[in-house]
Amino acid sequence: MTGANGRGATGTSPLGGARPVIGLAVGRGTGPELADVFERVLSALTPGGAGATGVEVVRSPRLYHSYVSLRRDHGVAAVQRLTAEDADHYEAWCRDLAGRGTTAVFRTAINAQSLYLVRRRLRAVKVDLLTAGERSLLLVRDQAQGFYTGENTHAAGEVTRTLTFSREVTGAVVEHALERARRTWPDGRIGRIVMAYKFHLLDGAFDAWVADLSERFGVRIEVFQPDTVNRNLLAHGLPDRTLLIAGNEWADIMHVMLLDRYGSDRQENRCTENVCLDPALRGLVEYQTVHGSADDLAGRDLVNPVATIRAAALVAEHHAGYSGAAAAVEAALAVLDERGVRTPDLGGRHSTSDVVDALVGALGVPGPDNAPRDAALVGGP
C-alpha cells in the first residue's frame, strides 16, 4: 500500500510505529481539487523527518459521482444503477480500511443518495459542537435511519420510498451521543437532553423506546416534534450544554439556523465528522466539508478550501498524534483573514491555490527554498 507520495508505511509518527493510514475518498465536481488541498495541508502538518510525511494517505480507486454528474449524463435507470454501485464500492472500501486499522477517512462531496445508503449500513451519526461565547450545544444527527436512508422502487409515474426505524439503532445513537457529551463536558454536567424526531408517525413505538433508554442510562431524555423544538429555540433558546439528538431530516434543514444561534462561522467554512457505529468499523470517523460538490466551480481553482483545511488539521491532531495542529491552523486562518486572503464566495479575489499557499506560509512550512519551519505554529510531537 502506498501513500500520497508513493511511499510505503515505513515512517514514524508521534503515535509510534508505522505511519498511520488515512483514507481519502474523492467525488466529482471540485472533489479532485479539494483532495489535493487535503493532502497538501495534511502533509504540512505532519512532518515525518527527512522530507517525509508522518502519515500515509490512501485514495479510494473510484471517483464517485456527484448528483450533478449523474443527472447531466444519465437517465433514471442509469442513475439508480450508478447510485447503488457508488454506495456498494464506498461501503466495501471503508470496511476494508477499518479492518486493517485505519481510524479516519476524509471524503469530498458525493451524491447524497449513495452516501446515505452507506450511512444506514454503517450506522453513522454526524457530530457537531456549536459554541457561542460560554454556551455550547452538541448536535448529534441520526444518519442511520429515517427518510434520508430509505430505498426507492419505481413504477410508471411513481416512486415509493421505504425506510426503517429500529429500537436497536435508536439505542446505539443515544448511547454514542451520551458518550460524546461526557467527553465534551468532562465534569459530567449536561444541561438538557433533547431529541427532535417525527415520532408521532411511528404508532407510539419511538417515544416508548426513548422512555426505556432514559431508564436504562439513568438520564432524562425529552423527545419533541421538530416544530416544537423550533418554537422553543426561537422563543427561549436552548440552555447551555444541551445535547440535541435529531433525525437527519430536521437537523439538515436547521443546521444554518443553529449555526446562527451558536456558531460564529459560515456553513461553507465548516467541516464535520461522521462516526460509524457498526462494531465492525471500530468507530471509523469520516471527515467531510459541510458544503457540497460545487460542480459549477470544478477546474476553476476557485472553490473555498477552508473547510478542507480544517478537516486536515483535525485528522492530523486526532488520528496522527500531532498535538496542536487544529489550533495552529486556526491561528493561520486568522492571519489570512486579517490579510483579506479569501476566495470569491467570501468576498475575496484569491484562488484556491492562493489561499492554500498563504495558509502553508502562515504555518511556517518550508517552501521550495527550504526556508525553516516555525515550530510554534505547526502541530508536532
Side-chain angles (χ1 to χ4, degrees), residues 17-79:
R19 293 181 297 162
V21 175
I22 305 300
L24 175 57
V26 186
R28 297 179 191 246
T30 55
E33 296 165 72
L34 291 175
D36 291 343
V37 169
F38 175 80
E39 288 194 282
R40 184 178 177 198
V41 175
L42 184 64
S43 176
L45 291 167
T46 57
T53 62
V55 298
E56 178 184 357
V57 177
V58 176
R59 289 199 186 208
S60 170
R62 186 179 181 93
L63 181 64
Y64 301 99
H65 280 280
S66 68
Y67 182 76
V68 172
S69 72
L70 283 172
R71 293 296 295 126
R72 181 179 57 226
D73 301 326
H74 305 286
V76 171
V79 169

Side-chain angles (χ1 to χ4, degrees), residues 293-327:
S293 55
D295 294 66
D296 58 317
L297 298 179
R300 298 173 60 191
D301 198 26
L302 291 176
V303 63
N304 181 350
V306 172
T308 299
I309 290 166
R310 284 177 163 152
L314 292 176
V315 169
E317 178 145 344
H318 297 305
H319 301 273
Y322 286 83
S323 176

Side-chain angles (χ1 to χ4, degrees), residues 270-290:
R270 295 181 65 89
C271 67
T272 189
E273 63 176 89
N274 307 286
V275 182
C276 301
L277 303 184
D278 182 331
L281 274 291
R282 305 175 188 177
L284 179 75
V285 181
E286 177 208 68
Y287 292 86
Q288 65 165 102
T289 63
V290 174

Side-chain angles (χ1 to χ4, degrees), residues 131-355:
T131 59
E134 297 298 317
R135 293 189 309 135
S136 58
L137 176 144
L138 183 62
L139 175 63
V140 178
R141 291 165 56 169
D142 180 354
Q143 301 177 111
Q145 53 188 355
F147 179 80
Y148 277 31
T149 63
E151 296 196 51
N152 300 332
T153 55
H154 290 254
E158 183 177 276
V159 179
T160 301
R161 189 160 182 81
T162 305
L163 54 98
T164 302
F165 286 89
S166 80
R167 178 196 296 267
E168 180 185 3
V169 170
T170 303
V173 170
V174 170
E175 183 173 18
H176 182 78
L178 291 171
E179 176 190 333
R180 289 301 294 262
R182 292 176 181 126
R183 271 193 273 159
T184 302
W185 304 304
D187 62 9
R189 183 175 66 81
I190 302 174
R192 193 176 184 186
I193 304 170
V194 173
M195 296 184 71
Y197 282 79
K198 299 295 286 184
F199 65 91
H200 69 304
L201 300 176
L202 301 176
D203 301 324
F206 190 88
D207 40 323
W209 300 341
V210 173
D212 290 343
L213 290 169
S214 292
E215 184 175 352
R216 172 182 161 191
F217 294 118
V219 294
R220 184 185 182 205
I221 305 174
E222 302 172 271
V223 59
F224 295 104
Q225 299 294 336
D227 59 325
T228 302
V229 177
N230 291 352
R231 287 197 300 272
N232 290 341
L233 179 65
L234 291 172
H236 314 293
L238 292 170
D240 181 31
R241 298 193 180 195
T242 293
L243 170 59
L244 178 54
I245 308 167
N248 210 31
E249 298 84 352
W250 173 82
D252 193 20
I253 294 168
M254 286 297 294
H255 190 238
V256 173
M257 175 65 77
L258 292 170
L259 281 177
D260 181 68
R261 293 301 175 98
Y262 283 88
S264 59
D265 207 353
R266 294 168 59 107
Q267 189 180 45
E268 297 89 336
N269 287 345
R270 295 181 65 89
C271 67
T272 189
E273 63 176 89
N274 307 286
V275 182
C276 301
L277 303 184
D278 182 331
L281 274 291
R282 305 175 188 177
L284 179 75
V285 181
E286 177 208 68
Y287 292 86
Q288 65 165 102
T289 63
V290 174
H291 62 72
S293 55
D295 294 66
D296 58 317
L297 298 179
R300 298 173 60 191
D301 198 26
L302 291 176
V303 63
N304 181 350
V306 172
T308 299
I309 290 166
R310 284 177 163 152
L314 292 176
V315 169
E317 178 145 344
H318 297 305
H319 301 273
Y322 286 83
S323 176
V329 160
E330 290 306 317
L333 288 172
V335 171
L336 268 59
D337 189 57
E338 290 172 4
R339 296 174 181 171
V341 179
R342 55 181 70 96
T343 46
D345 64 302
L346 300 177
R349 54 182 176 79
H350 297 83
S351 69
T352 306
S353 299
D354 290 336
V355 174

Side-chain angles (χ1 to χ4, degrees), residues 57 113 125 128 198:
V57 177
Q113 193 170 341
V125 293
D128 202 355
K198 299 295 286 184

